[in-house]
Amino acid sequence: MVLLYPPFAIQIVQVVSMYENVTVIAGPTSVGKSTIVAEILATHPDIYYSVSATTRSIRPSEIDGKDYHFITDAEFDELIAKDGFLEWAKVHELYRYGTLTAPLLDALRAGKKAILQIDLQGALQIRNKLPDATFIFIAPPTFGELRKRLDDRATESEAEKVLRLRTAEHELQAENEFDYIVVNDDLQQAVAEVVKIIYR
Ligand code: 5GP
């Protein structure tokens, strides 16, 4: 039998439990993940949002440092070399996106709850590294609705839309790998469900 010196035992409990405060939100393109997350953050400013780094170019509606850290390919390579990412992936066969480890750990050590809004590949990497985290898949009511939302959003070219829908088909098959599936039919209801899961 191993007897742990009490302060050490307490430290272990703290380290293990802090990852329970991580909620990973994934789901296919244009399903409404960003809108759901924005609604939650507006009403729960105590939650830390993990701002990812990406090599994609900025959209007119976005703010650098708030929506993403928009960085160059060379800067992304440098972060990989420095082990700065908890996970990273090339999404839609186009651009790289990654979760920065240091600011996330700072928030968790400060006792905060954290939300990561990432793709399926990233979610699976996090599940291997942080099995105590909670994984939520946001699903569309139908695949046709997903296509409609992508058209309505009008932020991608036709070629990019084809790529995104191809990824979406693959991602939809993985929903059973998640702890929870929330169907985004009614936005407010989906937000309420996600909040309930985060604070359960
Ligand atoms: P968008 O270009 O539409 O903002 O995002 C494209 C995809 O990249 C979305 O599915 C989004 O969830 C995902 N994504 C955003 N940040 C990250 C990240 O840090 N890591 C991974 N793996 N995917 C991300």
Side-chain angles (χ1 to χ4, degrees):
M1 184 167 120
V2 180
L3 283 177
L4 291 175
Y5 176 59
F8 185 57
I10 288 165
Q11 232 184 351
I12 286 179
V13 169
Q14 280 176 343
V15 169
V16 169
S17 65
M18 99 180 169
Y19 297 119
E20 289 180 358
N21 284 331
V22 174
T23 301
V24 176
I25 298 183
T29 187
S30 68
V31 74
K33 286 169 292 178
S34 309
T35 314
I36 291 173
V37 170
E39 287 270 326
I40 295 173
L41 296 177
T43 45
H44 299 82
D46 47 316
I47 297 179
Y48 169 77
Y49 177 64
S50 164
V51 179
S52 299
T54 182
T55 57
R56 152 163 95 59
S57 43
I58 190 165
R59 293 177 188 147
S61 62
E62 292 177 323
I63 298 171
D64 191 9
K66 180 174 173 279
D67 296 290
Y68 285 106
H69 297 288
F70 294 93
I71 63 174
T72 61
D73 264 311
E75 287 167 332
F76 205 98
D77 287 340
E78 205 176 309
L79 277 163
I80 294 174
K82 284 197 291 196
D83 209 11
F85 289 121
L86 186 60
E87 63 72 36
W88 70 268
K90 192 169 193 177
V91 183
H92 306 307
E93 301 166 36
L94 277 173
Y95 306 110
R96 290 183 291 174
Y97 297 77
T99 302
L100 297 163
T101 308
L104 174 64
L105 285 184
D106 285 349
L108 293 175
R109 286 190 187 117
K112 291 192 172 208
K113 289 189 176 293
I115 294 182
L116 275 59
Q117 194 263 100
I118 61 179
D119 88 321
L120 174 66
Q121 307 169 74
L124 297 179
Q125 289 179 54
I126 301 275
R127 202 180 54 179
N128 283 335
K129 287 189 176 168
L130 311 180
D132 290 339
T134 300
F135 296 84
I136 304 178
F137 188 87
I138 309 292
T142 62
F143 193 76
E145 177 63 23
L146 200 65
R147 189 171 309 155
K148 182 179 172 300
R149 288 180 194 177
L150 191 59
D151 284 338
D152 291 350
R153 184 165 85 177
T155 48
E156 280 81 20
S157 67
E158 278 307 314
E160 270 186 303
K161 280 198 270 189
V162 169
L163 271 179
R164 280 176 181 253
L165 287 171
R166 197 187 301 157
T167 312
E169 275 182 84
H170 167 69
E171 292 192 320
L172 282 168
Q173 286 163 15
E175 61 180 27
N176 291 329
E177 311 237 8
F178 286 72
D179 300 320
Y180 298 91
I181 300 172
V182 171
V183 177
N184 186 16
D185 199 355
D186 175 89
L187 175 67
Q188 289 314 324
Q189 200 179 322
V191 168
E193 278 178 45
V194 174
V195 167
K196 202 169 148 193
I197 295 166
I198 293 173
Y199 288 96
R200 79 199 178 284

